mmCIF file with all atom_site columns, all heavy atoms in Angstrom:
data_model
loop_
_atom_site.group_PDB
_atom_site.id
_atom_site.type_symbol
_atom_site.label_atom_id
_atom_site.label_alt_id
_atom_site.label_comp_id
_atom_site.label_asym_id
_atom_site.label_entity_id
_atom_site.label_seq_id
_atom_site.pdbx_PDB_ins_code
_atom_site.Cartn_x
_atom_site.Cartn_y
_atom_site.Cartn_z
_atom_site.occupancy
_atom_site.B_iso_or_equiv
_atom_site.pdbx_formal_charge
_atom_site.auth_seq_id
_atom_site.auth_comp_id
_atom_site.auth_asym_id
_atom_site.auth_atom_id
_atom_site.pdbx_PDB_model_num
ATOM 1   N N   . VAL A 1 79 ? 6.124  -3.553 0.125   1.00 96.00 ? 79 VAL A N   1
ATOM 2   C CA  . VAL A 1 79 ? 6.681  -2.261 0.574   1.00 96.00 ? 79 VAL A CA  1
ATOM 3   C C   . VAL A 1 79 ? 8.079  -2.584 1.162   1.00 96.00 ? 79 VAL A C   1
ATOM 4   O O   . VAL A 1 79 ? 8.192  -3.386 2.052   1.00 96.00 ? 79 VAL A O   1
ATOM 5   C CB  . VAL A 1 79 ? 5.852  -1.535 1.544   1.00 96.00 ? 79 VAL A CB  1
ATOM 6   C CG1 . VAL A 1 79 ? 6.508  -0.318 1.923   1.00 96.00 ? 79 VAL A CG1 1
ATOM 7   C CG2 . VAL A 1 79 ? 4.417  -1.228 0.921   1.00 96.00 ? 79 VAL A CG2 1
ATOM 8   N N   . ARG A 1 80 ? 9.109  -1.807 0.684   1.00 94.00 ? 80 ARG A N   1
ATOM 9   C CA  . ARG A 1 80 ? 10.447 -1.996 1.283   1.00 94.00 ? 80 ARG A CA  1
ATOM 10  C C   . ARG A 1 80 ? 10.924 -0.554 1.721   1.00 94.00 ? 80 ARG A C   1
ATOM 11  O O   . ARG A 1 80 ? 10.650 0.395  1.060   1.00 94.00 ? 80 ARG A O   1
ATOM 12  C CB  . ARG A 1 80 ? 11.361 -2.562 0.248   1.00 94.00 ? 80 ARG A CB  1
ATOM 13  C CG  . ARG A 1 80 ? 11.053 -3.951 -0.178  1.00 94.00 ? 80 ARG A CG  1
ATOM 14  C CD  . ARG A 1 80 ? 12.101 -4.525 -1.101  1.00 94.00 ? 80 ARG A CD  1
ATOM 15  N NE  . ARG A 1 80 ? 11.773 -5.797 -1.771  1.00 94.00 ? 80 ARG A NE  1
ATOM 16  C CZ  . ARG A 1 80 ? 12.349 -6.319 -2.588  1.00 94.00 ? 80 ARG A CZ  1
ATOM 17  N NH1 . ARG A 1 80 ? 13.301 -5.827 -3.360  1.00 94.00 ? 80 ARG A NH1 1
ATOM 18  N NH2 . ARG A 1 80 ? 12.011 -7.614 -2.987  1.00 94.00 ? 80 ARG A NH2 1
ATOM 19  N N   . VAL A 1 81 ? 11.716 -0.559 2.850   1.00 90.00 ? 81 VAL A N   1
ATOM 20  C CA  . VAL A 1 81 ? 12.167 0.661  3.230   1.00 90.00 ? 81 VAL A CA  1
ATOM 21  C C   . VAL A 1 81 ? 13.411 0.988  2.335   1.00 90.00 ? 81 VAL A C   1
ATOM 22  O O   . VAL A 1 81 ? 14.261 0.187  2.095   1.00 90.00 ? 81 VAL A O   1
ATOM 23  C CB  . VAL A 1 81 ? 12.678 0.627  4.697   1.00 90.00 ? 81 VAL A CB  1
ATOM 24  C CG1 . VAL A 1 81 ? 13.342 1.867  5.181   1.00 90.00 ? 81 VAL A CG1 1
ATOM 25  C CG2 . VAL A 1 81 ? 11.528 0.301  5.562   1.00 90.00 ? 81 VAL A CG2 1
ATOM 26  N N   . SER A 1 82 ? 13.466 2.269  1.845   1.00 82.00 ? 82 SER A N   1
ATOM 27  C CA  . SER A 1 82 ? 14.522 2.619  1.004   1.00 82.00 ? 82 SER A CA  1
ATOM 28  C C   . SER A 1 82 ? 15.832 2.721  1.771   1.00 82.00 ? 82 SER A C   1
ATOM 29  O O   . SER A 1 82 ? 15.921 3.092  2.936   1.00 82.00 ? 82 SER A O   1
ATOM 30  C CB  . SER A 1 82 ? 14.309 4.185  0.430   1.00 82.00 ? 82 SER A CB  1
ATOM 31  O OG  . SER A 1 82 ? 13.160 4.107  -0.425  1.00 82.00 ? 82 SER A OG  1
ATOM 32  N N   . PRO A 1 83 ? 16.927 2.183  1.275   1.00 77.00 ? 83 PRO A N   1
ATOM 33  C CA  . PRO A 1 83 ? 18.239 2.308  1.861   1.00 77.00 ? 83 PRO A CA  1
ATOM 34  C C   . PRO A 1 83 ? 18.559 3.804  2.050   1.00 77.00 ? 83 PRO A C   1
ATOM 35  O O   . PRO A 1 83 ? 18.286 4.682  1.267   1.00 77.00 ? 83 PRO A O   1
ATOM 36  C CB  . PRO A 1 83 ? 19.214 1.679  0.908   1.00 77.00 ? 83 PRO A CB  1
ATOM 37  C CG  . PRO A 1 83 ? 18.357 0.905  -0.048  1.00 77.00 ? 83 PRO A CG  1
ATOM 38  C CD  . PRO A 1 83 ? 17.054 1.560  -0.056  1.00 77.00 ? 83 PRO A CD  1
ATOM 39  N N   . PRO A 1 84 ? 19.252 4.149  3.172   1.00 70.00 ? 84 PRO A N   1
ATOM 40  C CA  . PRO A 1 84 ? 19.526 5.545  3.507   1.00 70.00 ? 84 PRO A CA  1
ATOM 41  C C   . PRO A 1 84 ? 20.423 6.242  2.538   1.00 70.00 ? 84 PRO A C   1
ATOM 42  O O   . PRO A 1 84 ? 20.177 7.445  2.308   1.00 70.00 ? 84 PRO A O   1
ATOM 43  C CB  . PRO A 1 84 ? 20.178 5.548  4.862   1.00 70.00 ? 84 PRO A CB  1
ATOM 44  C CG  . PRO A 1 84 ? 20.253 4.118  5.350   1.00 70.00 ? 84 PRO A CG  1
ATOM 45  C CD  . PRO A 1 84 ? 19.600 3.165  4.147   1.00 70.00 ? 84 PRO A CD  1
ATOM 46  N N   . ASP A 1 85 ? 21.286 5.594  1.836   1.00 60.00 ? 85 ASP A N   1
ATOM 47  C CA  . ASP A 1 85 ? 22.123 6.161  0.867   1.00 60.00 ? 85 ASP A CA  1
ATOM 48  C C   . ASP A 1 85 ? 21.350 6.527  -0.421  1.00 60.00 ? 85 ASP A C   1
ATOM 49  O O   . ASP A 1 85 ? 21.875 7.392  -1.209  1.00 60.00 ? 85 ASP A O   1
ATOM 50  C CB  . ASP A 1 85 ? 23.358 5.358  0.591   1.00 60.00 ? 85 ASP A CB  1
ATOM 51  C CG  . ASP A 1 85 ? 22.994 4.064  -0.017  1.00 60.00 ? 85 ASP A CG  1
ATOM 52  O OD1 . ASP A 1 85 ? 21.856 3.571  0.245   1.00 60.00 ? 85 ASP A OD1 1
ATOM 53  O OD2 . ASP A 1 85 ? 23.896 3.440  -0.684  1.00 60.00 ? 85 ASP A OD2 1
ATOM 54  N N   . ARG A 1 86 ? 20.284 5.965  -0.684  1.00 53.00 ? 86 ARG A N   1
ATOM 55  C CA  . ARG A 1 86 ? 19.556 6.125  -1.901  1.00 53.00 ? 86 ARG A CA  1
ATOM 56  C C   . ARG A 1 86 ? 18.307 6.897  -1.760  1.00 53.00 ? 86 ARG A C   1
ATOM 57  O O   . ARG A 1 86 ? 17.659 7.263  -2.721  1.00 53.00 ? 86 ARG A O   1
ATOM 58  C CB  . ARG A 1 86 ? 19.265 4.692  -2.553  1.00 53.00 ? 86 ARG A CB  1
ATOM 59  C CG  . ARG A 1 86 ? 18.861 4.835  -3.945  1.00 53.00 ? 86 ARG A CG  1
ATOM 60  C CD  . ARG A 1 86 ? 18.568 3.262  -4.382  1.00 53.00 ? 86 ARG A CD  1
ATOM 61  N NE  . ARG A 1 86 ? 17.815 2.654  -3.590  1.00 53.00 ? 86 ARG A NE  1
ATOM 62  C CZ  . ARG A 1 86 ? 16.363 2.612  -3.818  1.00 53.00 ? 86 ARG A CZ  1
ATOM 63  N NH1 . ARG A 1 86 ? 15.858 3.252  -4.836  1.00 53.00 ? 86 ARG A NH1 1
ATOM 64  N NH2 . ARG A 1 86 ? 15.600 1.946  -3.031  1.00 53.00 ? 86 ARG A NH2 1
ATOM 65  N N   . ALA A 1 87 ? 17.842 7.111  -0.479  1.00 45.00 ? 87 ALA A N   1
ATOM 66  C CA  . ALA A 1 87 ? 16.546 7.817  -0.189  1.00 45.00 ? 87 ALA A CA  1
ATOM 67  C C   . ALA A 1 87 ? 16.587 9.217  -0.852  1.00 45.00 ? 87 ALA A C   1
ATOM 68  O O   . ALA A 1 87 ? 17.465 9.932  -0.545  1.00 45.00 ? 87 ALA A O   1
ATOM 69  C CB  . ALA A 1 87 ? 16.270 7.738  1.291   1.00 45.00 ? 87 ALA A CB  1
ATOM 70  N N   . ARG A 1 88 ? 15.574 9.504  -1.569  1.00 50.00 ? 88 ARG A N   1
ATOM 71  C CA  . ARG A 1 88 ? 15.372 10.935 -2.162  1.00 50.00 ? 88 ARG A CA  1
ATOM 72  C C   . ARG A 1 88 ? 14.417 11.730 -1.406  1.00 50.00 ? 88 ARG A C   1
ATOM 73  O O   . ARG A 1 88 ? 14.330 12.911 -1.571  1.00 50.00 ? 88 ARG A O   1
ATOM 74  C CB  . ARG A 1 88 ? 15.045 10.771 -3.628  1.00 50.00 ? 88 ARG A CB  1
ATOM 75  C CG  . ARG A 1 88 ? 16.142 10.090 -4.440  1.00 50.00 ? 88 ARG A CG  1
ATOM 76  C CD  . ARG A 1 88 ? 15.740 10.074 -5.943  1.00 50.00 ? 88 ARG A CD  1
ATOM 77  N NE  . ARG A 1 88 ? 16.628 9.200  -6.619  1.00 50.00 ? 88 ARG A NE  1
ATOM 78  C CZ  . ARG A 1 88 ? 16.469 7.977  -6.983  1.00 50.00 ? 88 ARG A CZ  1
ATOM 79  N NH1 . ARG A 1 88 ? 15.367 7.393  -6.624  1.00 50.00 ? 88 ARG A NH1 1
ATOM 80  N NH2 . ARG A 1 88 ? 17.382 7.298  -7.599  1.00 50.00 ? 88 ARG A NH2 1
ATOM 81  N N   . GLY A 1 89 ? 13.484 11.078 -0.735  1.00 47.00 ? 89 GLY A N   1
ATOM 82  C CA  . GLY A 1 89 ? 12.453 11.785 0.008   1.00 47.00 ? 89 GLY A CA  1
ATOM 83  C C   . GLY A 1 89 ? 11.308 12.342 -0.804  1.00 47.00 ? 89 GLY A C   1
ATOM 84  O O   . GLY A 1 89 ? 10.547 13.133 -0.398  1.00 47.00 ? 89 GLY A O   1
ATOM 85  N N   . GLY A 1 90 ? 11.165 11.955 -2.094  1.00 44.00 ? 90 GLY A N   1
ATOM 86  C CA  . GLY A 1 90 ? 10.011 12.375 -2.857  1.00 44.00 ? 90 GLY A CA  1
ATOM 87  C C   . GLY A 1 90 ? 9.534  11.410 -3.790  1.00 44.00 ? 90 GLY A C   1
ATOM 88  O O   . GLY A 1 90 ? 10.133 10.322 -3.932  1.00 44.00 ? 90 GLY A O   1
ATOM 89  N N   . HIS A 1 91 ? 8.534  11.768 -4.453  1.00 44.00 ? 91 HIS A N   1
ATOM 90  C CA  . HIS A 1 91 ? 7.935  10.931 -5.459  1.00 44.00 ? 91 HIS A CA  1
ATOM 91  C C   . HIS A 1 91 ? 8.768  10.828 -6.668  1.00 44.00 ? 91 HIS A C   1
ATOM 92  O O   . HIS A 1 91 ? 9.186  11.835 -7.258  1.00 44.00 ? 91 HIS A O   1
ATOM 93  C CB  . HIS A 1 91 ? 6.487  11.266 -5.823  1.00 44.00 ? 91 HIS A CB  1
ATOM 94  C CG  . HIS A 1 91 ? 5.491  11.264 -4.748  1.00 44.00 ? 91 HIS A CG  1
ATOM 95  N ND1 . HIS A 1 91 ? 4.849  10.144 -4.421  1.00 44.00 ? 91 HIS A ND1 1
ATOM 96  C CD2 . HIS A 1 91 ? 5.262  12.271 -3.833  1.00 44.00 ? 91 HIS A CD2 1
ATOM 97  C CE1 . HIS A 1 91 ? 4.068  10.506 -3.359  1.00 44.00 ? 91 HIS A CE1 1
ATOM 98  N NE2 . HIS A 1 91 ? 4.274  11.706 -3.002  1.00 44.00 ? 91 HIS A NE2 1
ATOM 99  N N   . THR A 1 92 ? 9.144  9.543  -7.130  1.00 48.00 ? 92 THR A N   1
ATOM 100 C CA  . THR A 1 92 ? 9.900  9.466  -8.340  1.00 48.00 ? 92 THR A CA  1
ATOM 101 C C   . THR A 1 92 ? 9.213  8.448  -9.252  1.00 48.00 ? 92 THR A C   1
ATOM 102 O O   . THR A 1 92 ? 8.501  7.619  -8.794  1.00 48.00 ? 92 THR A O   1
ATOM 103 C CB  . THR A 1 92 ? 11.341 8.988  -8.075  1.00 48.00 ? 92 THR A CB  1
ATOM 104 O OG1 . THR A 1 92 ? 11.401 7.806  -7.333  1.00 48.00 ? 92 THR A OG1 1
ATOM 105 C CG2 . THR A 1 92 ? 12.079 10.050 -7.299  1.00 48.00 ? 92 THR A CG2 1
ATOM 106 N N   . ARG A 1 93 ? 9.480  8.585  -10.472 1.00 51.00 ? 93 ARG A N   1
ATOM 107 C CA  . ARG A 1 93 ? 8.849  7.655  -11.468 1.00 51.00 ? 93 ARG A CA  1
ATOM 108 C C   . ARG A 1 93 ? 9.884  6.685  -12.062 1.00 51.00 ? 93 ARG A C   1
ATOM 109 O O   . ARG A 1 93 ? 10.893 7.180  -12.465 1.00 51.00 ? 93 ARG A O   1
ATOM 110 C CB  . ARG A 1 93 ? 8.148  8.411  -12.543 1.00 51.00 ? 93 ARG A CB  1
ATOM 111 C CG  . ARG A 1 93 ? 7.019  9.210  -12.009 1.00 51.00 ? 93 ARG A CG  1
ATOM 112 C CD  . ARG A 1 93 ? 6.400  10.076 -13.042 1.00 51.00 ? 93 ARG A CD  1
ATOM 113 N NE  . ARG A 1 93 ? 5.472  10.897 -12.516 1.00 51.00 ? 93 ARG A NE  1
ATOM 114 C CZ  . ARG A 1 93 ? 4.177  10.854 -12.763 1.00 51.00 ? 93 ARG A CZ  1
ATOM 115 N NH1 . ARG A 1 93 ? 3.705  10.019 -13.673 1.00 51.00 ? 93 ARG A NH1 1
ATOM 116 N NH2 . ARG A 1 93 ? 3.308  11.608 -12.199 1.00 51.00 ? 93 ARG A NH2 1
ATOM 117 N N   . SER A 1 94 ? 9.564  5.480  -12.101 1.00 47.00 ? 94 SER A N   1
ATOM 118 C CA  . SER A 1 94 ? 10.462 4.521  -12.727 1.00 47.00 ? 94 SER A CA  1
ATOM 119 C C   . SER A 1 94 ? 10.435 4.599  -14.155 1.00 47.00 ? 94 SER A C   1
ATOM 120 O O   . SER A 1 94 ? 9.453  5.129  -14.793 1.00 47.00 ? 94 SER A O   1
ATOM 121 C CB  . SER A 1 94 ? 10.035 3.026  -12.340 1.00 47.00 ? 94 SER A CB  1
ATOM 122 O OG  . SER A 1 94 ? 10.016 2.800  -10.919 1.00 47.00 ? 94 SER A OG  1
#
Side-chain angles (χ1 to χ4, degrees):
V79 176
R80 296 181 183 171
V81 176
S82 295
D85 60 335
R86 195 178 53 91
R88 295 183 188 98
H91 297 274
T92 57
R93 295 175 184 245
S94 299

